[in-house]
Amino acid sequence: MFNGKIITKADFLVMIILIFLSVFSFLFAFSSKTEGNKVLNIYSDGRLYATYEIEKTDKPFEVNVDNKFGSLTICVSKEKCYVKNSDCKDKLCVRQKEIVEANQILTCIPNRVIVEIASQKEKDVDMVAY
Amino acid sequence: MKIRYSTKDFILMCMFVAVGIVLQTVDNMIMFGSVPGGKLGLSNIVTLLNIFILGGNNALLISVMRAFLGSLLFGGVSALPYSVGGAFFSTVAMIYFKNKFYPELSEIGLSIIGAATHNFVQVVVAAIIMSSLKILSYISVLMLVSVAAGFVTGFQVKYLNKRLLNSSLFKKN
């Protein structure tokens, strides 16, 4: 059954190119600065739904996101954020790993919700006078 | 335009659509990982086999039909653009590379290309539908998944193909 080569040179080349592409796009996507205040942005159906400064939250709380596609519950705390509940079919959003660091995202494709942690640069203001 | 199929080809194509839907069902049960789209892509076996057995045009028809019916059965209408878009472009990519490089690039390479195109198109469709570029960061993970999944399905096609092409059912008469 296994006479002859299983993988040809061209197959190997395709695999190498794709792995290289994967590493390259990983570096590209996660290379932006991760310093500053961490902010949690929730997008619903392409629009910004809510923003929380997660480092200033002391108690974990839950956010309900409702739109015309469905609803889901997101747990927000200082340490981690995750999707607790969703009424979508595949439940991939609940099974995704909780997000901790900046640039990480959670998505629920059927409900069109994206949750991301972004880093907000602290504004360089010396003094504010009113 | 009038397309005529022999009864045998017609029955074969219907049968392959049915087999594809069954494999898609199995596929939905054994999702690995937690990435959207981290699936084995078993129905790609049928598509790639069809490119060899029934030719490119018929394979394209079969894969789009399978994606259409399969997503209506399981994912609902909202899953339709992802499924049909991915199936269409991955089949087109596999036909193109098969015509250009086939003996050097074996079924394994073709399958990996198909899987990668499928995942890429699905991420792009998701980015368009959700109007957000952040989804594109899934590409890096999905490319690795498609190398692994494409290798597994391509390996199966490679050894199925040899046997099926020699069987009397698929001999061109």
Side-chain angles (χ1 to χ4, degrees):
Chain A
M1 182 176 175
F2 296 108
N3 46 353
K5 263 195 222 162
I6 295 173
I7 306 177
T8 62
K9 265 182 197 163
D11 293 348
F12 198 65
L13 193 69
V14 168
M15 286 162 91
I16 294 289
I17 289 172
L18 280 178
I19 290 170
F20 184 76
L21 254 175
S22 158
V23 172
F24 184 74
S25 57
F26 182 83
L27 291 178
F28 184 74
F30 296 97
S31 63
S32 56
K33 283 238 172 78
T34 53
E35 285 125 41
N37 281 337
K38 279 192 276 183
V39 207
L40 187 83
N41 291 329
I42 300 173
Y43 296 88
S44 160
D45 198 13
R47 276 187 297 266
L48 190 63
Y49 183 85
T51 303
Y52 303 99
E53 293 195 31
I54 42 178
E55 274 165 11
K56 286 181 185 165
T57 59
D58 355 292
K59 266 192 284 178
F61 62 96
E62 290 177 0
V63 188
N64 273 312
V65 183
D66 288 298
N67 58 22
K68 62 182 172 195
F69 303 103
S71 67
L72 69 166
T73 314
I74 301 158
C75 248
V76 183
S77 70
K78 206 187 240 176
E79 290 82 29
K80 61 191 181 187
C81 305
Y82 60 94
V83 180
K84 195 183 177 191
N85 252 320
S86 168
D87 59 359
C88 60
K89 257 186 184 174
D90 53 10
K91 299 276 184 266
L92 275 173
C93 45
V94 184
R95 286 172 46 175
Q96 281 179 68
K97 257 210 249 160
E98 60 246 9
I99 52 175
V100 186
E101 299 290 325
N103 290 330
Q104 289 181 319
I105 58 169
L106 289 171
T107 47
C108 181
I109 301 231
N111 286 351
R112 301 197 188 171
V113 172
I114 303 175
V115 183
E116 65 148 0
I117 297 183
S119 57
Q120 193 181 48
K121 262 195 188 164
E122 286 190 70
K123 293 182 184 87
D124 294 327
V125 181
D126 296 332
M127 199 167 72
V128 182
Y130 293 101
Chain B
M1 199 172 87
K2 209 172 171 188
I3 310 171
R4 291 186 67 97
Y5 291 109
S6 68
T7 314
K8 188 182 145 189
D9 278 358
F10 190 71
I11 300 292
L12 273 180
M13 283 169 71
C14 294
M15 193 190 76
F16 275 126
V17 172
V19 172
I21 291 174
V22 170
L23 285 179
Q24 207 177 350
T25 316
V26 176
D27 214 12
N28 279 331
M29 291 173 188
I30 45 167
M31 277 189 253
F32 62 90
S34 54
V35 194
K39 285 194 283 189
L40 211 45
L42 288 175
S43 48
N44 199 29
I45 296 174
V46 174
T47 310
L48 191 49
L49 262 180
N50 279 320
I51 294 177
F52 288 98
I53 293 172
L54 295 171
N57 292 339
N58 293 342
L60 192 60
L61 191 63
I62 289 170
S63 73
V64 169
M65 202 105 92
R66 190 260 309 150
F68 183 77
L69 288 175
S71 67
L72 281 187
L73 276 174
F74 309 112
V77 186
S78 63
L80 211 60
Y82 302 97
S83 196
V84 174
F88 180 81
F89 284 104
S90 75
T91 314
V92 168
M94 286 194 293
I95 293 167
Y96 175 79
F97 279 97
K98 189 244 171 187
N99 289 342
K100 268 209 133 162
F101 306 105
Y102 170 55
E104 290 86 45
L105 189 70
S106 78
E107 288 89 338
I108 293 175
L110 289 174
S111 174
I112 292 173
I113 287 170
T117 320
H118 188 272
N119 282 335
F120 182 76
V121 169
Q122 281 198 328
V123 171
V124 171
V125 169
I128 292 169
I129 285 182
M130 301 178 73
S131 55
S132 161
L133 287 176
K134 293 176 191 78
I135 309 246
L136 295 181
S137 65
Y138 280 124
I139 285 179
S140 60
V141 190
L142 284 175
M143 286 297 127
L144 280 185
V145 170
S146 61
V147 169
F151 184 84
V152 173
T153 55
F155 190 78
Q156 297 170 31
V157 173
K158 192 165 194 168
Y159 291 99
L160 264 175
N161 196 13
K162 270 184 200 163
R163 275 149 189 75
L164 286 185
L165 279 182
N166 291 331
S167 73
S168 58
L169 182 62
F170 299 107
K171 279 243 170 74
K172 286 272 180 290
N173 35 0

